[in-house]
Amino acid sequence: PSHANEPATETGEVVAMTSLPDYDPNDPKQALEKDRMNRMSAGLYEMGSTFKTFTTAMALDSGKVKITDSFDATKPIRIGGFTISDFHGKRRVLSVPEIFIYSSNIGTAKEAETVGVAAHQEFLTRLGLLSKMQTELPEVASPTQPKEWKQINSITISFGHGVSTTPLQTAVAAAALMNGGKLIPPTFLPRSREDAEALATRVVSQKTSDQMRYLFRLNVADQRGSGNRADVPGYKVGGKTGTANKVVNGRYSDTKKFNAFLSAFPTDKPRYVVLVVVDEPKAEEGQVYATAGMNAAPTVANIIRRSATLLKVRPDFGEDGKSLLVSY
């Protein structure tokens, strides 16, 4: 775009988007085949644990949860005949940063409970995740949500099950959390920062945005973080993994996953959001699990490694983002 030196997080410009399998322009009828749709804007998915990004931001922005708070994740949550547990749970009290980097369903659900059901629905609506997005593209899907939000809905939605939205909307909402707190409608055309500012809506405070940048970076820079395979020296990558069970014939599959890594770089002042989704990944030879940290996260790293210089993002090999890891 003509404004390539301006951060896409502050203009709303989509500088690259692809969906595979793609179609051959020399054989345009291929575009009508079911699996050739643009999944980024026309595909609806339960985004799994990437949604913990929004739950955490909501909790912090509400003022009811501080980044120094802790929640008891010792035991699973039982509600309405369902049991909410953690994948490789720590079975102890977790701080808010630990809930994020360990991707605790229990801790995230308790953050949502603290805020309340109505406020949860309002927050996701405010971030544009529950309404049809307006773009220049003709192929845009309408998100789905429960007809009536109950406590169980809020709990499962807190970790990304029960609401379906598009990957594009997920990336746009994440940009608002990274750019200082302003939601900017996306565009596929060049747009100046001034024009974007006229369209922007404040959705969270600057403090919440700063804390989310910290948590994003912590999840990649800390070896305990689920996103540590996304790190690229010099570019201070941050992000959140999501490994969701796919819905097949109305039931959650135990074997088919939908993986995502939602990221931003450089996290001291994010210029770009990068979202990679992998539909039904397979475990590599010798690995038991095909989690997002194993496939979507390293794919993000490869994209950033190759594209950052083209986007005129200078690497910084000084502290490499460790200075961002201060305690709030």
Side-chain angles (χ1 to χ4, degrees), residues 13-149:
E13 291 180 348
V14 180
V15 296
M17 183 169 72
T18 190
S19 176
L20 301 174
D22 208 343
Y23 69 92
D24 183 349
N26 295 309
D27 186 10
K29 71 176 185 295
Q30 280 186 2
L32 300 176
E33 295 175 14
K34 186 180 178 184
D35 66 347
R36 307 297 171 116
M37 62 181 263
N38 178 2
R39 289 169 171 77
M40 296 301 101
S41 63
L44 284 178
Y45 303 99
E46 294 192 345
M47 293 300 298
S49 292
T50 56
F51 251 50
K52 291 172 183 169
T53 302
F54 309 122
T55 309
T56 306
M58 171 185 71
L60 294 172
D61 204 61
S62 73
K64 295 181 178 180
V65 175
K66 298 190 296 293
I67 201 164
T68 51
D69 286 347
S70 297
F71 292 86
D72 188 355
T74 307
K75 297 176 182 176
I77 297 172
R78 291 185 172 82
I79 180 171
F82 295 94
T83 300
I84 311 301
S85 56
D86 285 345
F87 180 70
H88 291 325
K90 301 298 174 183
R91 299 188 182 280
R92 62 175 172 83
V93 173
L94 299 175
S95 67
V96 168
E98 286 178 323
I99 288 168
F100 194 81
I101 69 172
Y102 293 137
S103 201
S104 168
N105 294 338
I106 299 167
T108 305
K110 290 188 175 182
E111 289 174 352
E113 279 187 303
T114 302
V115 175
V117 178
H120 191 181
Q121 185 179 20
E122 186 279 327
F123 186 80
L124 295 187
T125 303
R126 191 194 315 169
L127 263 60
L129 289 161
L130 303 182
S131 313
K132 186 175 181 180
M133 178 168 278
Q134 299 300 312
T135 78
E136 298 92 355
L137 291 178
E139 43 183 3
V140 179
S142 298
T144 63
Q145 61 175 307
K147 286 189 174 67
E148 178 188 354
W149 280 50

Side-chain angles (χ1 to χ4, degrees), residues 158-211:
S158 76
F159 50 83
H161 286 297
V163 155
S164 294
T165 193
T166 67
L168 177 59
Q169 286 171 279
T170 306
V172 169
L177 302 181
M178 293 292 110
N179 70 13
K182 294 183 177 181
L183 184 67
I184 302 171
T187 182
F188 295 88
L189 305 173
R191 181 195 281 159
S192 69
R193 206 186 302 208
E194 292 72 27
D195 288 343
E197 186 65 30
L199 299 168
T201 307
R202 177 160 294 283
V203 288
V204 297
S205 68
Q206 179 70 54
K207 180 181 179 182
T208 299
S209 178
D210 291 345
Q211 292 178 333

Side-chain angles (χ1 to χ4, degrees), residues 101 218-226 228-229 231:
I101 69 172
L218 181 67
N219 193 37
V220 172
D222 192 309
Q223 284 305 301
R224 299 172 299 165
S226 59
N228 63 70
R229 292 170 190 259
D231 208 12

Side-chain angles (χ1 to χ4, degrees), residues 232 235 265 299-312:
V232 182
Y235 288 107
F265 77 99
T299 304
V300 164
N302 289 336
I303 290 170
I304 292 172
R305 190 177 292 112
R306 294 292 299 274
S307 64
T309 50
L310 301 176
L311 295 167
K312 298 183 172 60

